[in-house]
Amino acid sequence: MQSRQIKIFDTTLRDGQQCPGAGMSFENNIEYAKLAAKANIDIIEVGFPSASKLDYMIVHSVAKEVVENKTSPIIAALCQLRENQIATTVRSLEPAIKYGRARLHTYVPVDSQLMSALGDYGKNFSQIIKDVYNYIKIATQADVEVEFSPEGYSRMGEHFNFVTDLIRAAIDAGATIINCPDTIGGACKLQGREYFVEKMNDHAKIIEKEFPNKKITWSAHCHNDFGLALENSINAVIYGPATQIEGCFNGIGERAGNVSLEQTIMFLKKFGACENNKMHYYTNVKIEHLQAISDFVSINMLQRQPHWPITGENAAKHSSGGHTNAIIKNPLSYQPFDPNEIGKKISFLFGPFSGGNHAKDIIEEFGYICREEEKANIAQFIKDFHSDRRKGITDSELISTYIEYRKPIKIHNFNYAKSDNNNSIEIEGDFFGENKKFYFTHSQDGSVYTALYNAIVKFIPDMKIGRYSSQSIEKGVNAINRSKTMIEDQDNKIYTGIGEDFDIEISALKSLIDAANHMYIRRTYVKTN
């Protein structure tokens, strides 16, 4: 069986950041590009340099910092078919040009519904074809490779011949990659001859006949509006001419997103060599980095669903019980692939039958301390705290309960008194290892808040109040009050506490206790390297 590499075109930084809420800082753009390069992603589309000075700097910086030699990822940047944008895009890619790792990606709409936005220009097919040739020629003469996309390809309809002319003009001008996007995510194999993969085959045959000496890469860029992005992308490879798939990690992107790259990569690894295939399809991606990239996107762009395929939190998590022994002996007994391959660990939901070792593993994985002699007590505290959760709790819930266990101050009753010369507070509960009623006073200028603060600093000497505030969170005389206290330690690290109560004084006291608990736990029970 012959083999064929499928190149991965990662547009997380471009198309991914075009969806609401997914934008990242300059620094995170650079960090993401380095992660993708480490995973051996073939092409990283970084952005739209002509959109703003920041976009330009991001593209230029990625090209400079990520491209180190002729085997580095290709850095791509998108631009409209305008001479000034082409010039700007080429300049942004200059650090990658000397290594032959720069790609300019441009496009023209071919879907009649998209072309209507071009006004009279959209009706002048001959001029559009001339512009495609002339502007792409300018780009190729600047020593960048060019990718051309007939935007809305899957809805070209009666424009097949026009699209043929555009592709012909682009290739004649030097473009070597033709991307055929399902821009609105509406393609389906049930469309028969109108299916975009069939049109790709037709165009590929025409181009091969007219340009027999040119090696053209055909690419698919599929959106997920009907949940078909993965199927359509794979069909373009298995049943079409595509040797490049474009998408985003975690499937982010405009509207319902793009095809998920981690799903695409693992699909090809799992099924790329099936006997019914014409050939063995594979990628050169280092799959052990997939989880790290997916996690980065989830933290810094859009939060990933727990049940997300391949990399989701639940994708390798099992309830303790019948599955446990089988999975421990053989990870594939209840998994379609070994999660360790992508940098993910198999885990088990903490539940009524879990023990100290299970709790200890999760706690330490999150960076907290769980000593051997206390693991059983901690596990029992967590189970008692969630006694109504027969099916188990998530790792984040376990850590929240662990923090509850570690709190040095746990008060269930407050009383205070104020006078001109004396402020006193009586609290009942746990206070740094003792459980009883405590009585604190402050006879100088100050408040009951000061009295409690003076008691706490005996156990956390370097704790200082940064600032605190209180405000009503509802309307009316019976509104709940929310207080916020910010404290600092000797290293100027800030810890924030929140407290709520109908009584403004008690809400302030609760916020101080919350902040002190955070500081104490962070400094006492977090593992240090």
Side-chain angles (χ1 to χ4, degrees), residues 5 53 80 94 127-128 156 189 196 209 237 253 258 266 272 313 326 342 490 529:
Q5 180 191 354
K53 290 182 179 179
Q80 294 176 320
E94 279 180 356
Q127 185 60 52
I128 296 174
M156 75 179 79
K189 194 174 182 180
F196 85 109
K209 183 177 180 180
V237 169
N258 294 67
M266 291 305 291
E313 183 181 350
I342 66 166
Q490 61 188 4
N529 295 327

Side-chain angles (χ1 to χ4, degrees), residues 187-486:
C188 176
K189 194 174 182 180
L190 296 177
Q191 292 172 304
R193 282 294 303 158
E194 293 304 308
Y195 187 43
F196 85 109
V197 175
E198 296 292 338
K199 302 300 182 184
M200 288 179 72
N201 284 326
D202 293 341
H203 279 129
K205 289 176 183 176
I206 293 170
I207 296 304
E208 186 178 10
K209 183 177 180 180
E210 294 186 13
F211 300 92
N213 297 322
K214 289 199 173 185
K215 186 177 180 181
I216 303 300
T217 295
W218 293 87
S219 177
H221 178 115
C222 299
H223 283 260
N224 205 35
D225 296 73
F226 281 101
L228 296 172
L230 179 60
E231 180 182 348
N232 287 331
S233 298
I234 295 300
N235 284 346
V237 169
I238 304 296
Y239 305 112
T243 55
Q244 174 178 289
I245 292 178
E246 306 189 4
C248 301
F249 273 89
N250 293 4
I252 65 172
E254 291 188 280
R255 301 185 313 281
N258 294 67
V259 68
S260 157
L261 287 182
E262 68 274 17
Q263 292 176 27
T264 301
I265 293 161
M266 291 305 291
F267 184 102
L268 290 170
K269 184 178 186 301
K270 177 73 174 179
F271 303 109
C274 287
E275 292 182 5
N276 291 334
N277 294 349
K278 292 180 293 185
M279 56 184 66
H280 174 203
Y281 303 97
Y282 69 96
T283 75
N284 280 337
V285 176
K286 297 177 180 177
I287 64 171
E288 63 268 26
H289 298 292
L290 295 183
Q291 188 67 48
I293 299 176
S294 176
D295 288 347
F296 185 90
V297 172
S298 181
I299 293 168
N300 298 291
M301 298 182 78
L302 288 179
Q303 187 173 359
R304 181 185 58 218
Q305 294 175 334
H307 61 279
W308 184 251
I310 310 298
T311 57
E313 183 181 350
N314 292 349
K317 185 183 291 292
H318 301 265
S319 297
S320 297
H323 290 193
T324 305
N325 289 333
I327 293 170
I328 290 173
K329 293 177 181 177
N330 176 15
L332 296 179
S333 57
Y334 284 99
Q335 293 281 164
F337 64 91
D338 187 346
N340 287 302
E341 290 183 285
I342 66 166
K344 189 179 190 69
K345 291 182 179 180
I346 290 177
S347 60
F348 301 95
L349 201 64
F350 189 88
F353 301 105
S354 299
N357 286 330
H358 191 178
K360 188 173 187 292
D361 287 344
I362 296 172
I363 291 165
E364 291 181 341
E365 185 176 344
F366 275 77
Y368 291 96
I369 292 171
C370 181
R371 300 180 185 91
E372 190 69 24
E373 65 273 14
E374 61 183 357
K375 65 183 182 183
N377 288 337
I378 292 175
Q380 191 59 52
F381 177 88
I382 294 168
K383 287 190 281 188
D384 291 343
F385 195 91
H386 296 283
S387 58
D388 60 333
R389 299 286 294 278
R390 291 174 47 251
K391 296 297 183 180
I393 60 174
T394 65
D395 288 357
S396 58
E397 288 174 321
L398 184 146
I399 293 302
S400 294
T401 313
Y402 166 83
I403 289 173
E404 186 66 29
Y405 176 86
R406 290 298 195 191
K407 286 180 179 178
I409 309 173
K410 287 183 271 192
I411 306 303
H412 52 78
N413 191 31
F414 292 85
N415 286 297
Y416 66 89
K418 301 170 71 173
S419 65
D420 291 340
N421 299 316
N422 190 60
N423 296 290
S424 63
I425 176 174
E426 181 184 88
I427 58 176
E428 187 175 356
D430 294 331
F431 193 81
F432 292 97
E434 290 189 85
N435 184 286
K436 62 179 184 179
K437 286 185 178 181
F438 299 88
Y439 184 77
F440 306 120
T441 62
H442 185 72
S443 57
Q444 301 173 1
D445 292 338
S447 63
V448 291
Y449 186 92
T450 309
L452 179 60
Y453 168 77
N454 289 339
I456 293 174
V457 293
K458 293 178 181 179
F459 296 89
I460 313 177
D462 63 332
M463 184 182 87
K464 295 180 180 179
I465 302 294
R467 63 176 182 269
Y468 74 92
S469 60
S470 298
Q471 65 180 39
S472 170
I473 61 175
E474 297 173 335
K475 294 181 179 180
V477 294
N478 294 320
I480 294 176
N481 188 81
R482 176 180 292 157
S483 295
K484 181 178 180 180
T485 293
M486 299 178 69

